[in-house]
Amino acid sequence: MNKQQEKRLNIINKTITLCAQYGFHGTSMDSITTATGVSKATIYKYFISKENLIKEALVMFSERALNHLNIIFSDSTLTLEQKLSERFEILTALMKDDLFNGCYFQLAYSEFNHTDNAIADTCSGYKKKPCRNDSSFIN
């Protein structure tokens, strides 16, 4: 990963963290610049707007979450009970995290469903994405 990719990833990761804590509208570009140590001009170089940054953060979070689920549920060495247990452990850890205020996609949708179609569509799309379309999870 090159320096620009690392910087972009850092911006996205910090945005996810801040939005989880303060909400999407409650997270200002100033707070993102402070958290990342990156200027607004640089952030706007990578993302044309705050909304575009939030959409990209949601897409990345979605990819990570679904990849993790695919890894768990495609592991043939685990029983179905172990796979479900692993998933519930992850959800339990989230619930114990003081920064977690509910599903990021539901929060973003509730804040943007009437104002930003790209974010609303990203949130709706996450709900519709299957983890996998085969029966390997139940083996």
Side-chain angles (χ1 to χ4, degrees):
M1 184 178 298
N2 67 34
K3 189 107 170 138
Q4 287 182 334
Q5 290 169 323
E6 286 179 19
K7 192 178 289 188
R8 188 175 191 281
L9 184 60
N10 178 48
I11 294 166
I12 290 172
N13 285 332
K14 296 291 186 186
T15 299
I16 290 170
T17 300
L18 290 168
C19 289
Q21 188 172 8
Y22 302 110
F24 294 92
H25 289 311
T27 300
S28 68
M29 289 304 281
D30 287 333
S31 64
I32 295 169
T33 60
T34 299
T36 60
V38 176
S39 71
K40 280 186 192 177
T42 300
I43 292 173
Y44 285 119
K45 174 183 164 188
Y46 294 111
F47 309 97
I48 58 173
S49 65
K50 178 183 169 186
E51 291 75 18
N52 179 256
L53 170 56
I54 288 170
K55 181 183 90 51
E56 291 295 321
L58 289 167
V59 167
M60 181 174 286
F61 183 82
S62 170
E63 289 170 358
R64 286 179 186 165
L66 292 174
N67 284 339
H68 187 72
L69 284 176
N70 281 329
I71 289 168
I72 292 170
F73 283 97
S74 64
D75 186 342
S76 62
T77 66
L78 298 175
T79 66
L80 178 58
E81 184 177 306
Q82 290 170 320
K83 292 173 183 182
L84 292 173
S85 178
E86 174 79 20
R87 179 63 182 140
F88 281 109
E89 286 176 25
I90 293 166
L91 294 172
T92 300
L94 274 174
M95 297 304 289
K96 291 179 180 178
D97 186 342
D98 291 337
L99 299 180
F100 182 72
N101 294 309
C103 175
Y104 300 131
F105 297 93
Q106 288 177 334
L107 294 172
Y109 187 82
S110 70
E111 291 187 39
F112 289 101
N113 68 334
H114 297 294
T115 60
D116 192 291
N117 289 337
I119 292 174
D121 291 346
T122 299
C123 296
S124 296
Y126 176 76
K127 184 177 179 180
K128 295 175 185 174
K129 283 185 183 178
C131 191
R132 294 228 357 208
N133 288 328
D134 61 35
S135 61
S136 66
F137 299 146
I138 56 176
N139 295 332

